[in-house]
Amino acid sequence: MPANIALLGSGLFAQNSYLPALLANPTDAVLHTIWSRSSTSAVKLLEAAKSSGIQGLDGKGSINVEHGDDGLDKVLSDPSVDAVMLVLPISRQPELVLRALKAGKHVMSEKPVGKDVKTARETIEEYEKTYQPKGLIWRVAENWAHEPMLLKARDIIQTTPNLGPVLYWHLRAEGVTLDGSKYQATEWRTVPDYQGGFILDGGVHSTAMLRTLLPTPPNTIISTAALHRTHLLPHDTITALALPSDEATVDPHGPPTALNAIRTANDVPGGIGKSSPQGIIFMSWALPDIPAESREPNGITVVCLNGQVTVRAEGTTERQWVINLSAANGSGVQSGKWSGRWCGVEREVGMFARAVAAAKQGKESGEENYGTPRGSLWDLAIIEACLSSNGRPVDVAKLIAGK
Ligand SMILES: *[C@@H]1O[C@H](CO)[C@@H](O)[C@H](O)[C@H]1NC(C)=O
Ligand SMILES: *[C@@H]1O[C@H](CO)[C@@H](O)[C@H](O)[C@H]1NC(C)=O
């Protein structure tokens, strides 16, 4: 029995990403209902759904359409709706997540999990206290945490024999955002009622990549935030140092030098350094509109003791992940190159639908859960730390705990 799903929201992302993802999971997910604030946009999405070939309720393209507050009440009180997928502006989602859970629906909501850590934490605590014990599922749709190629990169970094520990890494997420471009020209973007603007909304993908890939994700952030272009309020750029927790700091690697050299701290003014897997985060949406070939590549470079792993997002329409492992000479590590298309949205929709279908029978899907709200809370906390640090260290665990 597939999961009957109501799609709440009808924006660009619902149309461009959720419809294809539902279409790709026909045996697990049935598009039962489309809901939007306005009737016009709900009908527009319905038409897009039908022309995409989505089968709907009876396998013949029948999909319910609702709009406005009354329509939402109807969706949430309809016992034949198993789950809702929320693709709505960031600031509206937490309240609707709780409302849907209260109505007994399983929920998948878009990232970020909230507009700030406080709101997100409160929503998650309420879920964990009241709804999770009843067996209700809530997942956050962070597609990067579901991307098979990023999970592959994680395995390469963490399990390649002899590659050794991570020494340091640098993350780059840079983009051109022209005034009035289609993703910028939406109402909730031009009048942002949340921190960070594009930095929050786009940046959580990159921090989800850190969470997925790194064996020791950072815990202290020292950062500055800037706004370079007036149309990208409130901030369009962050430059940050990301430091691990103290336990991750170890003595330098390798045997003592064979040369006749200074070895002990007593011999060196200022002492001798330690090795801690630290990184640099750079994000900007303020890049001028220069040709694609002159832009620095986006992605992450992770430098390990015996080799380097790069993960790049390539292509604009058909997006690809490309992973390179470049081995150090004489290390015994095998170099390699892998690539694969982006399919995180497809995957998270399928995994959620299967989890809901299993829950209907009192079972579990038996698959990993890459959509935990607490995982997304961490992604959000890193961005909030970058935006609020203003040059001072922010302890991410404390930020998450509200201390
Ligand atoms: C990845 O590997 C390919 C082929 O080995 C090489 O041409 C390319 O420059 C590499 N890219 C990076 C980012 O290392
Ligand atoms: C690898 O190291 C060996 C030994 O030091 C050296 O002879 C060889 O030229 C190196 N190979 C490359 C590709 O740098």
Side-chain angles (χ1 to χ4, degrees), residues 174-176 287-297 316:
E174 205 176 28
V176 177
L287 192 70
D289 191 11
I290 56 175
E293 62 273 17
S294 16
R295 297 178 197 169
E296 296 282 336
T316 44

Side-chain angles (χ1 to χ4, degrees), residues 152-196:
K152 169 98 192 160
R154 172 196 67 183
D155 292 345
I156 291 167
I157 292 165
Q158 299 192 16
T159 66
T160 300
N162 301 322
L163 183 57
V166 172
L167 304 183
Y168 55 89
W169 49 269
H170 40 103
L171 172 84
R172 172 181 288 271
E174 205 176 28
V176 177
T177 320
L178 301 180
D179 193 15
S181 66
K182 73 172 179 177
Y183 278 103
Q184 191 245 340
T186 60
E187 186 196 329
W188 62 281
R189 277 263 175 55
T190 45
V191 190
D193 55 351
Y194 55 90
Q195 61 182 336

Side-chain angles (χ1 to χ4, degrees), residues 121 123-133 138 373-374:
R121 177 180 55 245
T123 314
I124 291 170
E125 284 172 352
E126 182 65 19
Y127 167 66
E128 289 171 345
K129 188 175 77 161
T130 311
Y131 303 110
Q132 199 171 28
W138 174 27
R374 288 220 170 249

Side-chain angles (χ1 to χ4, degrees), residues 142-154 205 212-213 319-321 340-348 351 370:
E142 172 44 77
N143 50 321
W144 286 29
H146 290 78
E147 285 290 351
M149 289 308 291
L150 294 185
L151 294 161
K152 169 98 192 160
R154 172 196 67 183
H205 287 310
T212 304
L213 260 52
R319 291 215 269 188
Q320 291 262 319
W321 295 105
R341 70 182 188 92
W342 289 40
C343 57
V345 178
E346 235 167 270
R347 194 149 188 248
E348 71 199 356
M351 291 176 99
Y370 299 118

Side-chain angles (χ1 to χ4, degrees), residues 2 59 87 97 122-123 134 146 184 194 205 239 280 302 313 326 341 363 368 378 398:
V87 199
V97 167
E122 286 167 1
T123 314
K134 296 182 181 156
H146 290 78
Q184 191 245 340
Y194 55 90
H205 287 310
T239 308
I280 294 170
V302 180
S326 180
R341 70 182 188 92
K363 295 191 209 147
E368 278 296 326
W378 187 88
K398 283 189 182 158

Side-chain angles (χ1 to χ4, degrees), residues 65-367:
V65 187
E66 299 290 349
H67 72 275
D69 284 340
D70 294 349
L72 186 57
D73 286 339
K74 262 167 86 182
V75 176
L76 294 180
S77 59
D78 182 340
S80 63
V81 171
D82 300 313
V84 297
M85 289 181 176
L86 267 65
V87 199
L88 291 164
I90 297 169
S91 306
R92 286 207 68 201
Q93 293 207 130
E95 174 219 327
L96 271 179
V97 167
L98 293 178
R99 200 164 144 198
L101 288 166
K102 193 172 179 197
K105 307 302 180 200
H106 303 288
V107 176
M108 187 170 93
S109 60
E110 258 304 315
K111 40 53 62 178
V113 56
K115 69 179 166 54
D116 53 36
V117 167
K118 182 171 181 289
T119 314
R121 177 180 55 245
E122 286 167 1
T123 314
I124 291 170
E125 284 172 352
E126 182 65 19
Y127 167 66
E128 289 171 345
K129 188 175 77 161
T130 311
Y131 303 110
Q132 199 171 28
K134 296 182 181 156
L136 285 170
I137 297 163
W138 174 27
R139 291 191 180 180
V140 177
E142 172 44 77
N143 50 321
W144 286 29
H146 290 78
E147 285 290 351
M149 289 308 291
L150 294 185
L151 294 161
K152 169 98 192 160
R154 172 196 67 183
D155 292 345
I156 291 167
I157 292 165
Q158 299 192 16
T159 66
T160 300
N162 301 322
L163 183 57
V166 172
L167 304 183
Y168 55 89
W169 49 269
H170 40 103
L171 172 84
R172 172 181 288 271
E174 205 176 28
V176 177
T177 320
L178 301 180
D179 193 15
S181 66
K182 73 172 179 177
Y183 278 103
Q184 191 245 340
T186 60
E187 186 196 329
W188 62 281
R189 277 263 175 55
T190 45
V191 190
D193 55 351
Y194 55 90
Q195 61 182 336
F198 276 85
I199 295 277
L200 176 64
D201 192 31
V204 287
H205 287 310
S206 295
T207 53
M209 176 158 75
L210 293 180
R211 168 166 63 92
T212 304
L213 260 52
L214 295 176
T216 312
N219 189 53
T220 298
I221 296 290
I222 301 169
S223 169
T224 64
L227 179 68
H228 295 299
R229 296 184 188 272
T230 44
H231 71 280
L232 295 173
L233 295 172
H235 291 106
D236 58 21
T237 301
I238 52 183
T239 308
L241 297 177
L243 313 175
S245 53
D246 290 344
E247 313 84 82
T249 300
V250 295
D251 285 328
H253 305 280
T257 166
L259 306 177
N260 185 12
I262 288 165
R263 307 232 166 105
T264 68
N266 292 341
D267 303 329
V268 189
I272 291 176
K274 299 242 181 200
S275 176
S276 75
Q278 54 204 19
I280 294 170
I281 297 173
F282 179 77
M283 293 184 191
S284 182
W285 271 255
L287 192 70
D289 191 11
I290 56 175
E293 62 273 17
S294 16
R295 297 178 197 169
E296 296 282 336
N298 279 338
I300 188 169
T301 299
V302 180
V303 177
C304 301
L305 191 58
N306 295 313
Q308 171 181 286
V309 179
T310 59
V311 182
R312 300 272 183 261
E314 290 184 359
T316 44
T317 43
E318 276 296 299
R319 291 215 269 188
Q320 291 262 319
W321 295 105
V322 179
I323 307 170
N324 269 24
L325 166 56
S326 180
N329 185 13
S331 63
V333 176
Q334 193 74 35
S335 292
K337 187 175 175 177
W338 301 262
S339 62
R341 70 182 188 92
W342 289 40
C343 57
V345 178
E346 235 167 270
R347 194 149 188 248
E348 71 199 356
V349 166
M351 291 176 99
F352 173 70
R354 287 189 290 280
V356 170
K360 275 166 88 168
Q361 303 179 311
K363 295 191 209 147
E364 292 190 2
S365 68
E367 293 181 297

